[in-house]
Amino acid sequence: MSPEEFRRQGHAAIDWIADYWAGLDDLPVLSQVAPGAVRRSMPTAPPEEGEPFDALLGDLDEIVLPGLTHWQHPRFFAYFPANSSPAAILGDLISSGIGAQGMIWATSPAVTEVEQVVVDWLAQALGLPEQFRLTDHGRGGGVIQDTASTATFTALLAALHSASGGQARESGVGSTRWTVYGSSQAHSSLVKAAMMAGLGAECVRSVEVDPRTQAMDVTALERLLADDIDDGCRPLFVLAAVGTTSTGAIDDVQAIAEALDGVDAWLHVDAAWAGVAAVCPELRDRLLSGVHLAQSIVTNPHKWMLTTFDCSVLWVQERTALTNALSITPEYLRNPASESGAVVDYRDWHPQLGRRFRALKLWSVLRTYGLAGIRAHIREGVELAAHFADLVVDDDRFELVTERSLSLVVFRLVEGDEATLAAMHRLNESGLAYLSHTVVEGRTAMRLAVGSWRTTRADVDATWAALQAL
Amino acid sequence: MSPEEFRRQGHAAIDWIADYWAGLDDLPVLSQVAPGAVRRSMPTAPPEEGEPFDALLGDLDEIVLPGLTHWQHPRFFAYFPANSSPAAILGDLISSGIGAQGMIWATSPAVTEVEQVVVDWLAQALGLPEQFRLTDHGRGGGVIQDTASTATFTALLAALHSASGGQARESGVGSTRWTVYGSSQAHSSLVKAAMMAGLGAECVRSVEVDPRTQAMDVTALERLLADDIDDGCRPLFVLAAVGTTSTGAIDDVQAIAEALDGVDAWLHVDAAWAGVAAVCPELRDRLLSGVHLAQSIVTNPHKWMLTTFDCSVLWVQERTALTNALSITPEYLRNPASESGAVVDYRDWHPQLGRRFRALKLWSVLRTYGLAGIRAHIREGVELAAHFADLVVDDDRFELVTERSLSLVVFRLVEGDEATLAAMHRLNESGLAYLSHTVVEGRTAMRLAVGSWRTTRADVDATWAALQAL
């Protein structure tokens, strides 16, 4: 592709996206294709000769679009949003053009340093305690990871390294009976992390939740900890969920930290979805109270904060716990510059070696929207969800299952589980909107998660009207 | 950003990239900034109000460019190439615009099915044995991962699951003395994988290499295996390197597989850099001989095959080994399609849950270049490296340290280690080209890795002339 051809086709790709967005309103949110349909519409072998990029754009419309469930659709309410905003897309596009690898500082210094600055900006924007920031004399810092699953796994490895006095990375997890804790509503990535770290799923204790709030029952945690310690286990890692997937429940981080007093366990805050909402001062206390007592926290700008996937930010209070757990640089290559924070080699902050210049898209979002714009976006999601919750409360046929959490509403038909599921399926199949389901205390419920940058009050109202009509 | 503004700024971003590429030739390849220089030139706090995207483009030129080592520069020869081609960039741009999550089939079916097709196309293009392909009645399949580090880690987890009869994921790695093998030249991600999987670095046996070829000494492997088995260890995983980082050495996969006869260990082929060269039939035997006996193989289109990072493809012969090792299904992801077994849920094929529509960029590369175009690209890299190796051989002051491997030349000044390093540093500091160094059998050498889509014979000649002048 010549430079001129790249310009022409690049402009066409940008226009394709703008047209795709403009037409989304008229497309069914949920794809209705049968398994294998997309596969069968593609050739079974790769082409021998190249063809113009236009051909691909044509096939996108014909083959790909019918097979897509449209995550950027204004009435996509099923999972937490995966905002891909114009600013982030263009920042990430520039990253592709630069095509630099930032595995260590030296392989392209700006990749590392822009990331250091923007994750620090984000820490400030959210009001995270100072000790998580990468300051010249501090011991903390943040890093962009791909997903919160990876961040939680990484935090678990750092915890293992610290608790084992460095033995885990050399000799393995050994015969110590490590135990890991999260509420029954904690994200499944906690169990997956324990499986991957060689601890096994059985080491994960599922802590009961308060039936009403769905937040961790801290008394139950204390009981489990005491029992496990009596039993010869070694509590290693506790995950506090700030915004669970199912209902948006928020664990009491402060109380959990207090329960861990005297127990040498790592406290990790999984605020994957909800954490970014701390950009609004009026929401901050609810989300971050007690976070200064945690060793690590993760939140995903790639969910609600307008930053194209992947962009999950993990902060730690002791960056050496991460780097010592994951660095494969031999001892004799360690240097004061790295350890002072003057130079950070981010490949030691996550499982992967290679890493893309992801900071550009986050930089672009923070600058293009500004904090004021990001706050307005978050508030809009919260307000639309509050409006929807009001509609639910005002209709006797429906009920809230849990209190609205930020931009998430969990509700059901009073009639029961079957009616609830049936209504949701009919709505989803109509293509007008897309909701997902969950089970809370044995009862089936629908989830409506607002937060797309394209959703308006009219979208929420149309969805409600359709549900009522069903 | 309004739709019109997105179009305008999107076109500007495309043009910025085209201009960046056009000007690369005149920029120093290696950044010369001091630690902290980029950081200090950025504000210490995020902006309160948003600003136009143009402002970011301006700062890219002023703040970011001086801090970049330019991986897309035609005379970037330091590490293996990280090709970010126009076709891939535009494919990935479309993926950002669609912004869909493909964690399971049901969350956006086309994301999964296009990936199934293109990784199968790539398997065909490389001539991989049928059993690695996802056919209707077969047991294999491929998946796009972020990096080969993650792919090797994932393969190790699958091996653990198989060897432990499913116990590892439930009860952890336990007290079995698992052992892992790779040559002394195997990628450091093998040790990191063992550390992360809870096995510990000490379980990794570093197998001697043939001093001349730098390929694994298979007799030494047999000896280690026998000793370990005698000692009560359980050999779990053997990594065969097809194209090592240091010298491009190629282990004899067939011989390694034969050495494993009767040993129930997983054979993983790490062909991260070199594997894609199998698209050329004349190179295939050298690269893939014996691969049908391996359980898994990884190669990275994001290195030499024109596909913007990240795109690493892992194929396995038994996909259930992966999915059984990694699958976890919370309620909100349960759906009829998954439970019928008719579809693939790729989140069970890697550590992460969330996943981007990465197949679009690989699809775009395969279609825009065609196999003929990709072969021409690979052959160009091999020919330029052969040309450079000839220049080295013809100059008495220089010598090859190992035989050229595909597009990688490892050479040195006859004068010795210090002179070699000094020459390389002077060349790198001049900004004309960027090479890296390695140590082979105790002797310092320079590495020149060709493979950028922008490199011409004139670039190689200019680099050689500069080296001679030094």
Side-chain angles (χ1 to χ4, degrees):
Chain A
M1 214 186 274
S2 68
E4 297 68 38
E5 185 68 1
F6 173 70
R7 282 180 209 262
R8 191 179 71 76
Q9 300 285 15
H11 295 182
I14 290 287
D15 292 342
W16 186 92
I17 293 171
D19 293 342
Y20 168 69
W21 288 342
L24 270 179
D25 230 348
D26 302 324
L27 296 177
V29 190
L30 177 66
S31 172
Q32 303 290 350
V33 295
V38 174
R39 259 179 96 186
R40 280 191 298 271
S41 59
M42 291 173 69
T44 56
E48 182 61 26
E49 300 298 331
E51 54 186 338
F53 184 75
D54 314 67
L56 185 92
L57 289 181
D59 280 355
L60 279 177
D61 292 326
E62 280 190 37
I63 297 174
V64 174
L65 281 200
L68 286 177
T69 290
H70 303 287
W71 283 64
Q72 304 307 312
H73 196 293
R75 290 183 301 279
F76 178 97
F77 302 120
Y79 302 97
F80 291 133
N83 281 185
S84 195
S85 73
I89 289 173
L90 300 185
D92 202 42
L93 170 60
I94 298 285
S95 168
S96 291
I98 289 173
Q101 276 293 326
M103 49 200 180
I104 58 175
W105 180 88
T107 55
S108 214
V111 179
T112 295
E113 297 200 8
V114 174
E115 181 161 334
Q116 292 178 292
V117 170
V118 296
V119 299
D120 192 70
W121 282 6
L122 185 59
Q124 292 177 55
L126 304 184
L128 282 185
E130 172 88 12
Q131 56 262 47
F132 288 108
R133 292 173 50 194
L134 185 76
T135 53
D136 284 340
H137 304 290
R139 298 186 296 184
V143 60
I144 299 178
Q145 298 219 355
D146 53 2
T147 62
S149 294
T150 301
T152 295
F153 175 57
T154 308
L156 180 62
L157 295 176
L160 250 175
H161 182 75
S162 299
S164 70
Q167 279 300 298
R169 62 168 282 159
E170 300 307 326
S171 326
V173 295
S175 54
T176 304
R177 291 169 58 207
W178 304 107
T179 46
V180 167
Y181 306 80
S183 88
S184 62
Q185 301 302 306
H187 194 265
S188 56
S189 56
L190 177 65
V191 174
K192 194 164 176 175
M195 284 159 48
M196 295 192 297
L199 300 169
E202 289 164 4
C203 83
V204 182
R205 307 293 188 242
S206 178
V207 186
E208 285 165 41
V209 294
D210 178 303
R212 193 181 56 80
T213 64
Q214 297 288 296
M216 185 188 283
D217 177 343
V218 180
T219 312
L221 171 67
E222 286 172 334
R223 215 163 38 227
L224 277 171
L225 284 167
D227 288 353
D228 283 336
I229 291 169
D230 278 353
D231 203 33
C233 295
R234 175 86 189 272
L236 171 68
F237 189 83
V238 180
L239 183 144
V242 169
T244 61
T245 307
S246 178
T247 65
I250 296 174
D251 290 347
D252 185 340
V253 179
Q254 177 89 32
I256 293 173
E258 286 164 11
L260 289 173
D261 191 35
V263 179
D264 184 25
W266 182 289
L267 177 54
H268 173 65
V269 176
D270 175 1
W273 161 64
V276 298
V279 73
C280 299
E282 72 275 17
L283 301 172
R284 191 169 293 160
D285 279 357
R286 172 93 183 96
L287 297 167
L288 297 186
S289 174
V291 159
H292 62 288
L293 300 170
Q295 275 68 50
S296 53
I297 176 169
V298 61
T299 191
N300 294 352
H302 71 224
K303 283 195 169 74
W304 195 3
M305 212 193 84
L306 302 159
T307 312
T308 305
F309 186 90
D310 50 356
C311 184
S312 176
V313 184
L314 172 72
W315 289 274
V316 293
Q317 291 214 16
E318 290 283 348
R319 59 179 179 270
T320 54
L322 270 192
T323 55
N324 289 344
L326 292 170
S327 167
I328 32 173
T329 312
E331 187 58 38
Y332 65 88
L333 286 183
R334 298 198 173 182
N335 61 80
S338 286
E339 277 158 26
S340 73
V343 171
V344 153
D345 292 335
Y346 269 134
R347 60 111 200 243
D348 296 332
W349 293 58
H350 51 52
Q352 301 86 353
L353 173 59
R355 68 195 321 266
R356 180 180 165 84
F357 197 172
R358 285 183 292 214
L360 276 181
K361 57 187 171 189
L362 185 54
W363 194 28
S364 182
V365 164
L366 287 165
R367 290 184 61 163
T368 306
Y369 289 87
L371 296 187
I374 295 171
R375 285 190 202 110
H377 165 71
I378 296 287
R379 284 173 184 146
E380 172 82 358
V382 172
E383 279 160 24
L384 291 178
H387 167 61
F388 187 86
D390 286 344
L391 297 172
V392 170
V393 168
D394 288 345
D395 188 320
D396 288 345
R397 296 165 297 175
F398 292 86
E399 59 182 351
L400 293 179
V401 173
T402 50
E403 204 180 314
R404 170 185 61 81
S405 176
L406 303 170
S407 62
L408 175 66
V409 182
V410 182
F411 65 107
R412 58 185 256 126
L413 277 163
V414 175
E415 195 182 335
D417 292 354
E418 275 182 42
T420 300
L421 264 188
M424 186 192 77
H425 285 311
R426 281 205 304 277
L427 175 64
N428 290 349
E429 281 162 19
S430 77
L432 180 93
Y434 182 30
L435 274 60
S436 63
H437 78 282
T438 187
V439 176
V440 182
E441 299 291 319
R443 303 195 311 164
T444 299
M446 289 184 256
R447 296 169 72 259
L448 177 123
V450 196
S452 162
W453 59 282
R454 307 190 73 257
T455 302
T456 64
R457 188 164 171 131
D459 293 307
V460 171
D461 285 337
T463 302
W464 176 243
L467 266 175
Q468 286 186 305
L470 295 166
Chain B
M1 216 186 272
S2 69
E4 297 67 40
E5 184 67 2
F6 173 71
R7 281 180 210 263
R8 190 179 74 76
Q9 300 285 15
H11 295 183
I14 290 288
D15 293 342
W16 186 92
I17 294 172
D19 293 341
Y20 168 69
W21 289 341
L24 270 178
D25 230 348
D26 302 323
L27 295 177
V29 190
L30 177 66
S31 171
Q32 303 289 352
V33 295
V38 174
R39 260 179 98 186
R40 279 191 299 272
S41 58
M42 291 172 70
T44 55
E48 182 60 28
E49 299 299 330
E51 54 186 340
F53 184 74
D54 315 64
L56 186 91
L57 289 181
D59 280 354
L60 280 175
D61 293 325
E62 279 189 39
I63 298 175
V64 175
L65 282 200
L68 286 177
T69 290
H70 303 287
W71 283 64
Q72 305 306 313
H73 196 292
R75 291 184 300 279
F76 178 96
F77 301 121
Y79 302 95
F80 290 133
N83 281 184
S84 195
S85 73
I89 288 173
L90 300 186
D92 202 42
L93 171 61
I94 298 285
S95 168
S96 290
I98 289 172
Q101 275 293 326
M103 49 198 181
I104 61 174
W105 179 88
T107 55
S108 214
V111 178
T112 295
E113 297 200 10
V114 173
E115 180 162 335
Q116 291 179 293
V117 170
V118 297
V119 298
D120 193 72
W121 282 7
L122 185 59
Q124 294 177 54
L126 304 184
L128 281 186
E130 173 86 13
Q131 57 263 47
F132 288 107
R133 293 173 49 194
L134 185 77
T135 54
D136 285 340
H137 303 291
R139 298 187 296 185
V143 60
I144 299 178
Q145 299 219 356
D146 53 3
T147 62
S149 293
T150 300
T152 295
F153 175 57
T154 308
L156 180 62
L157 295 177
L160 250 176
H161 183 76
S162 298
S164 70
Q167 279 300 297
R169 64 168 279 160
E170 301 307 326
S171 326
V173 296
S175 55
T176 304
R177 292 171 56 208
W178 304 106
T179 47
V180 167
Y181 305 80
S183 88
S184 62
Q185 301 302 305
H187 193 266
S188 55
S189 56
L190 178 64
V191 173
K192 194 164 176 175
M195 282 159 47
M196 294 192 296
L199 301 169
E202 289 163 3
C203 82
V204 182
R205 307 294 188 240
S206 178
V207 186
E208 287 166 38
V209 294
D210 177 304
R212 194 181 55 80
T213 65
Q214 297 290 297
M216 185 188 279
D217 176 343
V218 181
T219 312
L221 171 68
E222 285 172 333
R223 214 160 42 225
L224 277 171
L225 284 167
D227 288 352
D228 282 336
I229 292 169
D230 279 354
D231 203 32
C233 295
R234 175 86 189 273
L236 171 68
F237 189 83
V238 181
L239 183 144
V242 169
T244 59
T245 305
S246 176
T247 65
I250 296 174
D251 290 347
D252 185 340
V253 179
Q254 178 88 32
I256 293 173
E258 286 164 10
L260 289 174
D261 192 33
V263 179
D264 184 26
W266 181 289
L267 177 55
H268 174 65
V269 176
D270 175 1
W273 161 63
V276 298
V279 72
C280 300
E282 73 275 17
L283 301 173
R284 192 169 294 162
D285 280 357
R286 172 94 183 95
L287 296 167
L288 297 186
S289 175
V291 159
H292 61 288
L293 300 170
Q295 275 68 49
S296 54
I297 177 170
V298 61
T299 191
N300 293 352
H302 71 224
K303 283 196 168 73
W304 195 3
M305 212 191 86
L306 301 159
T307 312
T308 304
F309 187 88
D310 49 354
C311 184
S312 176
V313 185
L314 172 71
W315 290 274
V316 293
Q317 291 214 16
E318 291 282 348
R319 59 180 179 268
T320 54
L322 270 192
T323 56
N324 289 344
L326 292 171
S327 166
I328 292 188
T329 307
E331 179 63 32
Y332 68 95
L333 291 179
R334 285 186 197 274
N335 66 87
S338 292
E339 276 158 27
S340 73
V343 300
V344 155
D345 291 333
Y346 269 134
R347 58 102 205 249
D348 296 332
W349 295 58
H350 50 51
Q352 301 87 353
L353 172 59
R355 68 196 320 265
R356 184 181 162 84
F357 197 172
R358 285 182 292 215
L360 277 179
K361 58 188 171 188
L362 184 55
W363 195 27
S364 182
V365 164
L366 287 164
R367 289 182 64 163
T368 306
Y369 288 86
L371 296 186
I374 295 171
R375 284 190 201 108
H377 165 71
I378 297 286
R379 284 173 183 143
E380 172 82 358
V382 172
E383 279 160 25
L384 290 178
H387 166 62
F388 187 86
D390 286 345
L391 296 172
V392 170
V393 168
D394 288 346
D395 187 322
D396 289 345
R397 295 166 296 175
F398 290 87
E399 62 183 347
L400 292 180
V401 173
T402 50
E403 205 179 314
R404 171 185 61 82
S405 176
L406 303 169
S407 62
L408 176 65
V409 183
V410 182
F411 65 106
R412 58 187 253 125
L413 277 162
V414 175
E415 197 183 334
D417 292 354
E418 273 183 44
T420 299
L421 264 189
M424 186 191 77
H425 284 312
R426 281 205 304 277
L427 175 64
N428 291 348
E429 280 161 21
S430 79
L432 180 94
Y434 182 30
L435 274 61
S436 62
H437 78 283
T438 186
V439 175
V440 182
E441 299 292 318
R443 302 197 310 165
T444 298
M446 286 183 258
R447 296 169 71 261
L448 177 124
V450 196
S452 163
W453 58 283
R454 308 189 73 256
T455 303
T456 64
R457 187 163 174 132
D459 293 309
V460 171
D461 285 338
T463 302
W464 177 243
L467 266 175
Q468 286 186 304
L470 296 167

